[in-house]
């Protein structure tokens, strides 16, 4: 009985802590699809990408760049209380200059209905990486990029 009381007390404390921080049950259990891009403070030629995909909707993220970039680190995990798959990457750019980075959100493995989130990336040795997010659009409106991505990406359906 004493062990049962400890478990109940622990659960009450956890729920109270989350409620005091402003977290609701629906926020913890609702799947999320989002993306973010940040520059690395310690390396001028590195940047981080965080991609979240709602598994209940059949979403999956892909990354494509018009310049050679190297994946330096990657971490993956699935949400504990929701069906969100989170991928965190660290990329290192090989040389300075300008290039385009595309974050591609594919639903159910269908590249034709994919949503593109383009970034214009600029890399200099002095200032490091800077980027500008452009307007998102559907891939079917860009036939040249569609042809490029069809050959470059290994789209998997699950």
């Amino acid at each position: 009985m004493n062990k049962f009381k400890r478990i109940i007390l622990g659960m009450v404390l956890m729920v109270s802590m989350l409620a005091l921080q402003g977290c609701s049950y629906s926020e913890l259990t609702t799947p999320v699809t989002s993306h973010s891009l940040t520059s690395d403070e310690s390396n001028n030629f590195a940047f981080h990408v965080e991609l979240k995909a709602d598994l209940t909707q059949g979403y999956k993220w892909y990354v494509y760049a018009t310049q050679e970039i190297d994946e330096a680190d990657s971490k993956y995990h699935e949400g504990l209380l929701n069906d969100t798959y989170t991928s965190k990457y660290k990329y290192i750019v090989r040389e300075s200059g300008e290039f385009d980075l595309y974050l591609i959100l594919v639903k159910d493995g269908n590249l034709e209905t994919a949503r593109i989130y383009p970034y214009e990336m600029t890399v200099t040795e002095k200032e490091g990486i800077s980027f500008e997010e452009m307007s998102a659009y559907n891939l079917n409106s860009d036939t040249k990029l569609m042809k490029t991505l069809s050959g470059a990406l290994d789209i998997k359906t699950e």
Side-chain angles (χ1 to χ4, degrees), residues 33-83:
T33 300
S34 66
H35 69 283
S36 67
L37 186 73
T38 56
S39 56
D40 190 320
E41 299 294 324
S42 63
N43 184 346
N44 281 352
F45 282 76
F47 63 96
H48 300 271
V49 177
E50 182 175 339
L51 306 168
K52 294 183 179 185
D54 179 352
L55 297 177
T56 63
Q57 298 291 319
Y59 287 125
K60 185 162 183 168
W61 283 99
Y62 295 89
V63 177
Y64 177 77
T66 58
Q67 178 178 310
E68 295 272 339
I69 59 175
D70 296 318
E71 186 179 306
D73 190 22
S74 61
K75 296 177 183 170
Y76 313 98
H77 73 277
E78 192 169 331
L80 183 61
L81 300 175
N82 59 27
D83 287 327

Side-chain angles (χ1 to χ4, degrees), residues 91-146:
Y91 290 105
I92 297 179
V93 180
R94 292 185 181 185
E95 55 192 46
S96 59
E98 296 180 356
F99 67 96
D100 294 323
L101 178 76
Y102 299 100
L103 303 179
I104 303 122
L105 181 61
V106 178
K107 184 174 181 175
D108 298 326
N110 186 356
L111 192 59
E112 291 181 10
T113 60
R115 187 85 174 145
I116 304 296
Y117 298 90
Y119 287 86
E120 285 185 358
M121 308 289 287
T122 304
V123 183
T124 60
E125 289 193 33
K126 287 184 179 180
E127 296 179 21
I129 292 180
S130 61
F131 53 87
E132 181 181 351
E133 185 173 7
M134 308 308 289
S135 297
Y137 59 91
N138 292 334
L139 183 58
N140 60 6
S141 66
D142 189 347
T143 56
K144 183 179 177 185
L145 183 60
M146 170 78 88

